[in-house]
Amino acid sequence: MPSLAKTKSKSLKTKKVALKNGHKNGHKNGIKVSASLSGKTAVLKKAGKVAKRTFFFGGGKAEGTKEMKNLLGGKGANLAEMANIGLPVPPGFTITTEVCTEFYEGGKKLPKALGDDIRAQIARMEKVVGAKFGDPKNPLLVSVRSGARASMPGMMDTILNLGLNDKTAEGLAAKSGNERFAYDSYRRFVAMYGDVVLGLKPEKKEDHDPFDEILAAKKKARGVKLDSDLPADALKELVGEFKAEIKKRLGMDFPNDPYAQLEGAIKAVFQSWRNDRADLYRRLNNIPVEWGTAVNVQAMVFGNKGADSATGVCFTRDPASGENVFYGEFLVNAQGEDVVAGIRTPEKIEALGNVLPKAYKQLLDIRKKLEKHYKEMQDIEFTIENGTLYMLQCRNGKRTGFAGVRIAVEMVDEKLISKEEALRRVEPEALNQLLRPVFLPAAKKQAIEGGRLLAKGLPAGPGAATGKVVFFADEAEALAAKGETNLILCRHETSPEDIRGMNASLGFMTAFGGMTSHAALVARQMGKVCIVGCDALSFDYHARTMTVTTAQGEVVVKEGDWISIDGFAGEVINGRVDTTPSEVIRVLIEKNLDAKEAPVYQRYAKLMSWADAARRLRVRANADQPDQSEAAVAFGAEGIGLCRTEHMFFGEGKIGPMREMIVAENETDRRAALAKLLPLQREDFHGIFKAMAGRPVTIRTLDPPLHEFLPHDEAGVKDLARSTGKSVEEIHARIEELKESNPMLGHRGCRLGITYPEITEMQARAIFEAAVDLASEGEKVFPEIMIPLVGTKKELDLQADVVRKTAAAVFAEKGKKVAYTVGTMIEVPRAAMTAGEIAQTAEFFSFGTNDLTQTTYGLSRDDVPRVLASYLQHDIYTVDPFVSVDRKGVGGLMKMAVAAGRAEKPKLKIGICGEHGGDPSSVEFCHEIGLDYVSCSPYRLPIARLAAAQAALKAT
Ligand code: ADP
Ligand code: MG
Ligand code: MG
């Protein structure tokens, strides 16, 4: 599964764009064909030969193999492979993806020489099957199937039963002694060919498929419910009516000549590579248009020959849970897509054992054989003709995150694959699914079917939460204090001062903001369920309501009403939906489930232990509270890479003195306020150090612009006036004075500590007092003090000096020392450019890639949503640079800084603490450039551990 959260947001946006521009872009890209053709052709061409255009399979062997996906497409390569390993595959041949390229290069014409190839291959098929293409007595029928390199299920078109006309249909009926079967095949063929090749589609989007309408009318006239209940003569009538409809609507006769049919069908498959559906799918899945599709022409086998015939689709393991059980469905007396199309309700695959026991047993053997051969869970398509089983397709099956982990781990236990292979196979983002609470599936289904879906937004914090709506963070906090545990904070947007209310809520939802907005970032750090950018919702804070217009009309949600948010899917649902916490959380965090009774947890733990053995990068967490630190350790943190001290100032009793400190107009007043903060901050550090038990803790000195801490309403101003003995006017004046044009680029970071060294001094004192106290109690502590936003060596010198002097003073007072280091963030380009100089003072570097990205691009993280959609559409960005490190620009600066820093200090410890630290692609980059560790939100640690292992495995 792709990274749920991320891909979703991108795909939502790209989807619209792709639909709009699909046609235009299609043309532009379609003609030009590139060097992405397989090496094989190049070799053949060099040797002066013409590239082989068709590859035969069947009769127990094949010219292709599963390795030839680029040339034969996934379906063709696997049909060849199945034939090679002795599975019953109807014979056929694959026309290569390169011919698709030739087709488009030649102005949508098939290459001349292909005709002879096709005739020769058909002749081989005729031999194996013992029937002749177009023979009125004993006709060979074929299917024409598309098959791209990457599987694009259902995106392109397939034509079945090709080769039928009035004469061959009669012959088929006579030879099989089954008229009903012959005309069932014929009517299917005419409808499919009419649709796919001749292009007879519904005229308006409200219209039904014209062939379906005729079929429905026929069933009504004959008084039957199911297609399979229509008798032969009715099916024969349908053939005539279908052809008449084609004549009426398109003014053309249905082609009778099998070779003309075949040519039309092959062209149609090539053209379907560029239909809107396929274009959209390719864009969403990053499949280049240049790849082209192969075409498979294969002898038909018939699942519609009566009660001893059937067709079905299966997975070799359950794709939802990953359980090692055969999972699938089948229909008796049916063909092709009937199973998926829901024409009749299919039966569970186990039931096949009762209906066709021999074929079922054979299918079970094939299931085993395929898994043993591919060493992967397979998705298979089969057909049974008069009791004989045929394999029509296999490919690696798509699966949920749960299933991905389970299958990988169990296949190692079964000795099918190595631990390394298991690590490679699990999509890191998929681990999210194992941590999040889930809605009880039946409950959610019921809610959505009941019309309770309110809106969709970006899934920023996966999981499921159901609770009462609260619109204000402070009220959420107050309610939580009274024991209310089910709260969903709903806001237009959130800000740092909401942090405690956010923590008090199960989840939160915003109308504004993207995947890297404040709410999204906090959600990941806290492991909360979160949906952002839900712009269908409008807030009226005064009325304490939010309103949304749905299909059911306007819905007004009031404070205290229940809503449910699904952070996997980005869905906001009205009312309650029951949830359950994940096993992993219950074992590791809530500690109310025994690991022995938690199979999901056990598999998770196993995979993580393999990842830990494979990775070189260390992992740390961004955490600033003792409970977050405990969670971090439970998730495998080997230290804290970023403790943001500013969040601490919003705690109980802290914001008051903080505000007093900010409005102070001289050092004496400031110190008085700071003295009140000192014990509170010391207590925070004490808790964090204790939780981290000797692991390194990187603490960043105060970073955000001061006005973020100031009161935003009159009541707050009055409180502050009272506590400082100033007038309300004076407070207002001071707030005015602190306003900045560009706070992000203003008086923040180390600039605060340089203008007010006493702030840094207080923070350093709190850190060292806590550290020494703990050391005296025999606990291990290792603080690393990190100075933010440094751009010149001198800035770091001054701040490091304050820290070191304070440390010395505390150690002298307490008569005890602890080891510590002082380092810096590298988060503005100038720091990266002068990293060598800075490393003379710095004992470590930590890349603050959020700010480094902002300052390198000159684009603020909070404003990126405005440009993101069009920048992605124009391929200016391939991904949001605030999600995945931009390797060229930002990454280039990082590489320079690593090189210069280590030239100065060869063992310089270097890490990353931006949000990128939990992004798999960025983790890989950090591995490549030789960082020592990545630091990310606690709940992303499993992802980082796995991504780090994958990076190490890739490098070897
Ligand atoms: P898709 O890529 O959309 O799955 P396929 O090419 O697999 O399309 O064809 C869809 C279905 O058509 C198959 O699952 C199978 O049931 C049926 N089909 C295709 N080729 C044959 C064949 N040679 N004989 C019988 N059925 C076939
Ligand atoms: Mg298929
Ligand atoms: Mg920063």
Side-chain angles (χ1 to χ4, degrees):
M1 287 271 125
S3 58
L4 294 163
K6 238 175 14 202
T7 5
K8 193 65 164 243
S9 77
K10 192 180 158 192
S11 62
L12 282 174
K13 284 170 191 152
T14 347
K15 203 165 197 161
K16 287 184 209 138
V17 171
L19 280 172
K20 224 171 47 204
N21 294 343
H23 199 57
K24 194 179 77 200
N25 288 337
H27 272 295
K28 204 173 68 203
N29 300 337
I31 314 292
K32 199 168 151 269
V33 175
S34 71
S36 61
L37 300 179
S38 84
K40 179 131 192 158
T41 324
V43 172
L44 286 171
K45 278 186 180 150
K46 232 186 253 158
K49 288 185 219 153
V50 178
K52 189 171 161 57
R53 290 195 176 88
T54 58
F55 287 72
F56 189 78
F57 56 84
K61 56 184 184 301
E63 294 175 335
T65 68
K66 73 175 187 322
E67 270 70 45
M68 293 165 69
K69 285 206 175 81
N70 291 356
L71 192 60
L72 304 182
K75 200 179 288 167
N78 283 329
L79 283 168
E81 188 77 8
M82 286 197 291
N84 278 330
I85 62 174
L87 301 189
V89 177
F93 62 93
T94 304
I95 306 173
T96 69
T97 55
E98 292 174 357
V99 179
C100 183
T101 302
E102 280 187 85
F103 173 77
Y104 280 104
E105 276 179 339
K108 299 197 186 170
K109 283 203 194 78
L110 296 176
K112 281 228 173 62
L114 186 66
D116 291 342
D117 288 359
I118 289 176
R119 279 170 201 273
Q121 298 287 26
I122 293 268
R124 290 170 86 177
M125 288 165 68
E126 289 173 341
K127 246 195 199 147
V128 178
V129 180
K132 272 198 142 36
F133 196 51
D135 182 346
K137 292 224 169 62
N138 180 20
L140 168 71
L141 302 189
V142 300
S143 67
V144 178
R145 320 170 62 189
S146 62
R149 279 192 211 185
S151 106
M152 296 171 60
M155 282 305 128
M156 294 181 298
D157 298 316
T158 298
I159 298 140
L160 303 181
N161 311 312
L162 187 141
L164 282 173
N165 52 37
D166 291 349
K167 287 194 186 119
T168 52
E170 216 171 288
L172 187 67
K175 178 151 189 287
S176 62
N178 187 342
E179 198 183 18
R180 192 201 169 273
F181 146 69
Y183 288 96
D184 183 53
S185 303
Y186 196 9
R187 63 97 188 173
R188 288 171 187 269
F189 170 56
V190 175
M192 277 184 165
Y193 199 90
D195 170 7
V196 175
V197 183
L198 306 179
L200 183 56
K201 312 255 180 201
E203 274 165 7
K204 288 194 278 336
K205 70 166 191 279
E206 296 82 10
D207 292 352
H208 287 288
D209 177 84
F211 301 112
D212 282 351
E213 271 183 354
I214 298 170
L215 177 63
K218 183 67 64 193
K219 284 194 282 192
K220 204 167 167 205
R222 293 295 182 117
V224 302
K225 267 215 184 114
L226 301 173
D227 299 6
S228 51
D229 292 337
L230 282 172
D233 67 308
L235 294 165
K236 202 168 176 176
E237 285 169 19
L238 275 178
V239 171
E241 288 164 27
F242 285 172
K243 285 185 175 180
E245 182 75 7
I246 289 168
K247 178 88 183 174
K248 186 177 107 199
R249 299 264 294 269
L250 303 174
M252 67 188 297
D253 290 316
F254 193 85
N256 283 321
D257 174 39
Y259 275 104
Q261 292 174 352
L262 183 56
E263 185 182 331
I266 293 169
K267 281 186 179 167
V269 171
F270 281 150
Q271 306 233 41
S272 75
W273 174 247
R274 307 299 312 274
N275 71 26
D276 284 350
R277 250 187 320 164
D279 271 341
L280 177 61
Y281 186 89
R282 265 199 305 278
R283 286 187 73 94
L284 296 183
N285 293 280
N286 292 320
I287 300 173
V289 70
E290 293 82 13
W291 281 7
T293 180
V295 181
N296 300 288
V297 179
Q298 187 178 28
M300 281 300 297
V301 286
F302 302 98
N304 56 337
K305 258 190 173 171
D308 60 350
S309 300
T311 185
V313 292
C314 298
F315 290 86
T316 54
R317 302 187 187 212
D318 184 333
S321 71
E323 193 182 350
N324 191 358
V325 292
F326 200 31
Y327 183 93
E329 295 173 331
F330 74 100
L331 271 179
V332 167
N333 198 15
Q335 200 181 41
E337 311 283 25
D338 292 0
V339 174
V340 203
I343 290 174
R344 280 182 275 150
T345 311
E347 293 182 71
K348 286 222 154 52
I349 197 67
E350 303 87 271
L352 187 63
N354 308 326
V355 187
L356 295 163
K358 247 183 75 192
Y360 182 61
K361 198 188 156 287
Q362 205 185 344
L363 194 59
L364 290 180
D365 289 344
I366 288 176
R367 171 195 174 214
K368 283 220 184 83
K369 196 163 178 180
L370 278 176
E371 278 214 343
K372 224 173 166 176
H373 184 72
Y374 282 92
K375 303 181 191 315
E376 237 312 13
M377 186 263 269
Q378 294 295 300
D379 167 352
I380 62 190
E381 295 174 8
F382 69 89
T383 282
I384 299 166
E385 177 178 340
N386 297 139
T388 305
L389 175 74
Y390 295 94
M391 297 301 297
L392 291 174
Q393 191 172 334
C394 75
R395 63 180 164 221
N396 294 342
K398 293 220 161 40
R399 64 206 74 182
T400 65
F402 283 104
V405 171
R406 178 160 187 179
I407 292 169
V409 170
E410 291 187 348
M411 282 193 168
V412 173
D413 294 344
E414 295 159 25
K415 304 205 162 39
L416 268 179
I417 60 172
S418 65
K419 289 172 187 167
E420 289 74 23
E421 180 57 24
L423 289 170
R424 279 193 200 97
R425 275 188 195 172
V426 178
E427 182 84 46
E429 292 281 352
L431 292 172
N432 255 332
Q433 287 186 23
L434 271 62
L435 305 187
R436 300 293 180 248
V438 290
F439 283 126
L440 293 171
K444 184 179 165 193
K445 192 163 165 237
Q446 197 188 1
I448 299 227
E449 282 173 1
R452 282 159 56 197
L453 181 65
L454 286 180
K456 277 195 136 193
L458 303 175
T466 190
K468 290 182 197 153
V469 170
V470 50
F471 291 112
F472 301 94
D474 57 343
E475 291 173 15
E477 206 181 327
L479 285 167
K482 285 190 207 138
E484 181 58 76
T485 49
N486 296 308
L487 294 169
I488 310 279
L489 181 65
C490 301
R491 294 198 52 80
H492 185 256
E493 62 193 316
T494 64
S495 69
E497 63 173 345
D498 296 330
I499 202 107
R500 287 166 58 82
M502 295 168 90
N503 199 24
S505 311
L506 276 181
F508 26 90
M509 187 204 76
T510 66
F512 180 77
M515 296 296 283
T516 51
S517 63
H518 179 261
L521 185 146
V522 172
R524 284 195 288 272
Q525 175 152 345
M526 291 182 174
K528 298 280 182 182
V529 182
C530 173
I531 299 177
V532 297
C534 214
D535 50 16
L537 292 160
S538 55
F539 285 86
D540 185 339
Y541 286 141
H542 289 288
R544 293 174 177 255
T545 60
M546 58 181 186
T547 309
V548 58
T549 307
T550 71
Q552 278 76 33
E554 183 162 285
V555 181
V556 180
V557 180
K558 296 188 298 295
E559 187 174 79
D561 287 354
W562 282 79
I563 62 162
S564 304
I565 55 178
D566 184 335
F568 292 119
E571 291 162 339
V572 184
I573 298 166
N574 205 0
R576 282 180 92 132
V577 181
D578 291 335
T579 65
T580 166
S582 85
E583 273 189 15
V584 176
I585 298 296
R586 292 185 58 198
V587 173
L588 287 179
I589 310 292
E590 295 183 356
K591 300 185 169 53
N592 60 7
L593 179 65
D594 188 343
K596 283 200 244 27
E597 277 148 41
V600 175
Y601 168 78
Q602 286 171 21
R603 287 189 288 268
Y604 158 86
K606 231 180 206 175
L607 190 76
M608 284 295 109
S609 74
W610 299 340
D612 292 345
R615 68 188 158 89
R616 177 191 64 75
L617 276 175
R618 309 276 94 196
V619 294
R620 295 194 184 190
N622 298 350
D624 40 57
Q625 299 291 333
D627 60 335
Q628 284 175 14
S629 307
E630 276 166 31
V633 171
F635 285 127
E638 295 163 286
I640 287 180
L642 175 62
C643 174
R644 297 178 169 96
T645 47
E646 60 269 22
H647 279 167
M648 297 175 172
F649 291 119
F650 288 101
E652 188 65 41
K654 290 176 202 163
I655 192 66
M658 183 67 187
R659 288 175 174 166
E660 290 169 26
M661 191 274 291
I662 295 168
V663 297
E665 274 160 279
N666 55 58
E667 192 182 326
T668 321
D669 289 356
R670 203 155 35 241
R671 280 192 182 277
L674 284 165
K676 293 189 204 166
L677 286 171
L678 176 69
L680 303 168
Q681 203 144 61
R682 187 174 55 217
E683 203 178 308
D684 285 330
F685 292 133
H686 192 276
I688 292 171
F689 288 145
K690 195 152 188 182
M692 294 311 291
R695 297 175 184 86
V697 178
T698 304
I699 298 157
R700 177 176 71 183
T701 51
L702 195 61
D703 181 55
L706 290 180
H707 73 81
E708 278 193 16
F709 299 96
L710 288 172
H712 296 277
D713 53 19
E714 258 328 285
V717 170
K718 277 196 191 127
D719 274 351
L720 187 53
R722 207 175 309 122
S723 64
T724 52
K726 290 181 196 284
S727 71
V728 168
E729 291 71 33
E730 280 173 313
I731 299 292
H732 274 299
R734 183 69 182 139
I735 292 176
E736 205 47 46
E737 228 175 82
L738 283 168
K739 278 228 171 85
E740 296 179 83
S741 313
N742 290 301
M744 264 298 166
L745 300 172
H747 193 195
R748 55 168 291 218
C750 66
R751 295 158 199 161
L752 289 171
I754 294 200
T755 47
Y756 307 127
E758 53 279 8
I759 300 179
T760 308
E761 191 188 314
M762 181 281 287
Q763 294 200 296
R765 178 164 276 278
I767 293 168
F768 291 118
E769 287 183 356
V772 170
D773 287 352
L774 275 164
S776 312
E777 292 163 25
E779 304 264 356
K780 282 196 189 134
V781 275
F782 186 51
E784 301 171 321
I785 291 85
M786 178 162 77
I787 311 299
L789 220 73
V790 162
T792 63
K793 173 175 183 288
K794 193 72 201 253
E795 286 171 306
L796 180 60
D797 288 345
L798 285 171
Q799 288 291 286
D801 198 46
V802 173
V803 173
R804 291 186 189 291
K805 282 204 175 113
T806 309
V810 172
F811 296 162
E813 284 161 27
K814 302 242 174 191
K816 188 161 182 75
K817 284 184 184 174
V818 295
Y820 70 95
T821 54
V822 185
T824 185
M825 294 187 77
I826 303 287
E827 56 181 338
V828 296
R830 196 178 192 285
M833 303 296 293
T834 60
E837 267 177 34
I838 291 174
Q840 289 166 12
T841 305
E843 291 172 286
F844 64 87
F845 283 173
S846 176
F847 288 105
T849 44
N850 296 341
D851 270 311
L852 190 58
T853 302
Q854 298 200 110
T855 50
T856 300
Y857 278 90
L859 170 63
S860 90
R861 168 174 83 193
D862 300 314
D863 295 311
V864 72
R866 282 170 204 255
V867 301
L868 196 58
S870 39
Y871 269 51
L872 291 172
Q873 182 198 338
H874 292 296
D875 287 331
I876 301 171
Y877 300 161
T878 47
V879 289
D880 180 346
F882 291 96
V883 171
S884 276
V885 166
D886 151 47
R887 295 188 180 200
K888 252 193 207 163
V890 176
L893 286 168
M894 290 169 72
K895 276 195 222 167
M896 275 177 57
V898 170
R902 295 235 171 101
E904 180 64 36
K905 282 195 181 136
K907 295 226 165 110
L908 186 69
K909 181 150 71 170
I910 309 180
I912 179 177
C913 63
E915 273 294 292
H916 299 93
D919 165 65
S921 152
S922 309
V923 170
E924 181 185 69
F925 180 70
C926 292
H927 175 91
E928 283 170 16
I929 65 170
L931 298 201
D932 294 296
Y933 69 87
V934 296
S935 186
C936 61
S937 321
Y939 285 75
R940 290 195 71 84
L941 278 164
I943 293 172
R945 287 157 79 187
L946 179 55
Q950 290 182 345
L953 291 172
K954 199 172 168 185
T956 54

